[in-house]
């Protein structure tokens, strides 16, 4: 997907990245099986969690489908008594990606769920990041804007350069928890597979460094036979 301001590369597994011009806003995937970076979502219902796209968990117990259209991509998943839908699209002109989540409860009992939205900001040209990834990560910082309820990421530059900002939040006025330090979300050597345990993690906010991540956790109520809908917004710009 592209709109002149952003380019959004999406695969059938859900792995991919978001870029603005020559700047990668999120980390590019390497090997789609061993290192499937992307913008992901996970759902916890009861004692079990699963990803809304095939990557990064590749869970054989979850049924996945994907539909590609001219201006959007739709990911569908079903696990036991829960169906999920995720539609990804770009604003026609603004540097804004929209992710529309829908969670449907197939039972006749009211239940609760937790939704995790996750990405890894890089805010650097591809070759710069790949040349020294560990060093590059040290300069990405995070800040929570309480008034607008968004997480704002930027890069501390050693030289005078145009800044790139990445803002992440929700269209709805919903309370959420956030964590910005990757090492608090997963353990080596599990990598992204460790995000399956997100519901048990303590989210402590943070300022991003030394290894910035963006993890937003929502608590949802699912009526009997009903659904919950949430829209995540990811925007980029050269000013705050």
């Amino acid at each position: 997907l592209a709109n002149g301001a952003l380019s959004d590369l999406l695969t059938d597994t859900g792995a991919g990245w978001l870029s603005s011009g020559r700047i990668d806003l999120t980390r590019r995937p390497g090997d789609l099986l061993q290192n499937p970076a992307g913008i992901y979502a996970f759902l916890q219902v009861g004692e079990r969690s699963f990803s809304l796209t095939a990557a990064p968990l590749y869970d054989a117990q979850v049924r996945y489908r994907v539909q590609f259209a001219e201006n959007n991509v739709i990911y569908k998943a079903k696990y036991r008594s829960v169906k999920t839908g995720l539609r990804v699209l770009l604003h026609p002109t603004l540097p804004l990606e929209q992710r529309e989540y829908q969670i449907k409860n197939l039972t006749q009992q009211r239940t609760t769920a937790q939704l995790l939205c996750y990405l890894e900001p890089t805010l650097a040209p591809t070759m710069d990041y790949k040349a020294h990834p560990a060093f590059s990560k040290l300069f990405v910082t995070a800040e929570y804007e309480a008034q607008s309820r968004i997480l704002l990421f930027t890069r501390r530059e050693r030289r005078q350069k145009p800044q790139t900002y990445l803002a992440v939040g929700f269209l709805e006025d919903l309370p959420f928890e956030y964590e910005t330090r990757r090492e608090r979300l997963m353990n080596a050597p599990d990598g992204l597979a460790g995000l399956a345990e997100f519901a048990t993690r303590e989210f402590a906010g943070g300022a991003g460094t030394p290894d910035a991540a963006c993890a937003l956790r929502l608590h949802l109520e699912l009526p009997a036979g009903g659904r919950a809908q949430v829209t995540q917004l990811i925007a980029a710009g050269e000013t705050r």
Side-chain angles (χ1 to χ4, degrees), residues 33-34 36 56-57 182 185-197 201:
L33 291 176
Q34 301 297 323
L57 301 181
R182 190 176 188 269
L185 294 161
M186 60 195 82
N187 301 320
D190 295 338
L192 292 174
L195 292 173
E197 301 177 5
R201 302 281 184 179

Side-chain angles (χ1 to χ4, degrees), residues 86-239:
L86 164 60
R87 187 169 76 124
V88 185
L89 64 158
L90 295 178
H91 188 277
T93 56
L94 299 177
L96 173 70
E97 185 200 66
Q98 186 167 313
R99 291 181 169 249
E100 301 170 349
Y101 301 99
Q102 185 175 107
I103 301 99
K104 182 170 177 57
N105 177 10
L106 301 178
T107 73
Q108 293 308 306
Q109 294 183 335
R110 181 175 172 271
T111 189
T112 60
Q114 294 184 51
L115 177 69
L116 177 75
C117 302
Y118 180 84
L119 62 86
E120 295 178 9
T122 55
L123 304 174
T126 306
M127 298 311 296
D128 289 1
Y129 179 81
K130 285 188 173 182
H132 303 285
F135 181 72
S136 180
K137 292 176 182 179
L138 295 173
F139 297 92
V140 178
T141 63
E143 177 185 352
Y144 178 63
E145 292 277 358
Q147 184 174 358
S148 52
R149 287 194 177 187
I150 62 168
L151 270 179
L152 189 65
F153 294 86
T154 191
R155 170 174 289 278
R156 292 184 287 111
E157 298 288 358
R158 292 171 294 167
R159 300 183 300 274
Q160 190 67 30
K161 288 184 178 180
Q163 288 279 16
T164 299
Y165 293 91
L166 182 68
V168 186
F170 296 102
L171 178 63
E172 300 82 1
D173 187 16
L174 296 171
F176 62 84
E177 302 167 274
Y178 69 94
E179 178 59 64
T180 63
R181 290 170 292 183
R182 190 176 188 269
E183 67 273 13
R184 290 182 57 90
L185 294 161
M186 60 195 82
N187 301 320
D190 295 338
L192 292 174
L195 292 173
E197 301 177 5
F198 78 91
T200 65
R201 302 281 184 179
E202 181 181 350
F203 281 34
T209 54
D211 191 355
C214 175
L216 310 182
R217 182 168 62 189
L218 288 166
H219 295 263
L220 304 172
E221 298 286 338
L222 299 177
R227 67 189 67 193
Q229 298 184 79
V230 178
T231 301
Q232 181 186 18
L233 303 177
I234 303 173
E238 296 182 354
T239 64

